Amino acid sequence: MNKLIGIILMLLASVIFGFRISKNIEFKQNVSGYLKRAADANTIALANQELTKVIDYLEANNITDGYTSIFYETPNEDIGFWYQNLKASQNELANLNSESALEKTNVLIKLRETLVDSGQKKRVTIPQGLAVYPNNTMWALLNFLATIMGFLGIIIFIVSFNSNQSQNQNS
């Protein structure tokens, strides 16, 4: 019976982690993937097209304002600033009237600098936890619960397995 409880706890933890992973995948499909493509675009039209997909998704899902933080608000978790920056970039791409290759290249470079953090590992600039916004608190609690259930499930399963092995050896 204890083995079954351990297995159920591990399965529940896996389901919660699976849903969280699916939220990240959905976010990558609708936001971060397109932002990366916009940053990598070689033409103004292509960059604008990719950026528009992101902004349309954000507006459709009401992800235009607020903070992704749970306990305290920090600037790197400000959705409003990030969204306004994306809109400003989109406006700059849409309103570029120059035929100059140099000016177009400068706008694309500026867009890339806006969209991608340049550090040791280059990543798209996104407020942390945006994939589960506005339910960040719920997902933090679920992840914590899943971690506890997973560890408890493993411990219960191992203890139960070892006690069954001891009983079989004594028989």
Side-chain angles (χ1 to χ4, degrees), residues 98-166:
S98 175
E99 291 298 321
S100 165
L102 180 61
E103 200 169 331
K104 289 179 181 179
T105 301
N106 283 344
V107 169
L108 289 172
I109 289 171
K110 183 178 175 185
L111 177 67
R112 183 172 183 79
E113 289 173 352
T114 299
L115 297 180
V116 178
D117 284 335
S118 57
Q120 284 184 348
K121 186 178 180 184
K122 293 187 177 190
R123 299 176 358 179
V124 177
T125 304
I126 295 173
Q128 187 176 6
L130 193 61
V132 294
Y133 181 80
N135 302 315
N136 296 61
T137 303
M138 178 192 75
W139 279 104
L141 292 173
L142 282 173
N143 282 340
F144 178 73
L145 181 65
T147 302
I148 300 297
M149 287 189 314
F151 281 124
L152 279 175
I154 290 169
I155 291 168
I156 290 170
F157 184 81
I158 290 172
V159 168
S160 174
F161 185 78
N162 286 340
S163 68
N164 283 346
Q165 291 253 323
S166 297

Side-chain angles (χ1 to χ4, degrees), residues 17-64:
F17 288 134
F19 274 112
R20 181 63 170 90
I21 290 168
S22 74
K23 295 294 273 179
N24 281 344
I25 291 169
E26 177 187 339
F27 186 76
K28 185 173 185 174
Q29 290 172 331
N30 293 301
V31 178
S32 62
Y34 289 121
L35 286 176
K36 177 72 170 99
R37 287 170 52 139
D40 291 342
N42 283 321
T43 67
I44 298 293
L46 188 57
N48 192 26
Q49 173 185 323
E50 299 302 305
L51 194 54
T52 299
K53 289 177 186 177
V54 172
I55 290 171
D56 289 346
Y57 177 83
L58 294 173
E59 289 172 350
N61 290 284
N62 200 25
I63 307 174
T64 58

Side-chain angles (χ1 to χ4, degrees), residues 86-102:
L86 293 180
K87 286 292 284 184
S89 295
Q90 181 190 38
N91 287 336
E92 192 167 345
L93 291 171
N95 296 325
L96 182 65
N97 294 323
S98 175
E99 291 298 321
S100 165
L102 180 61

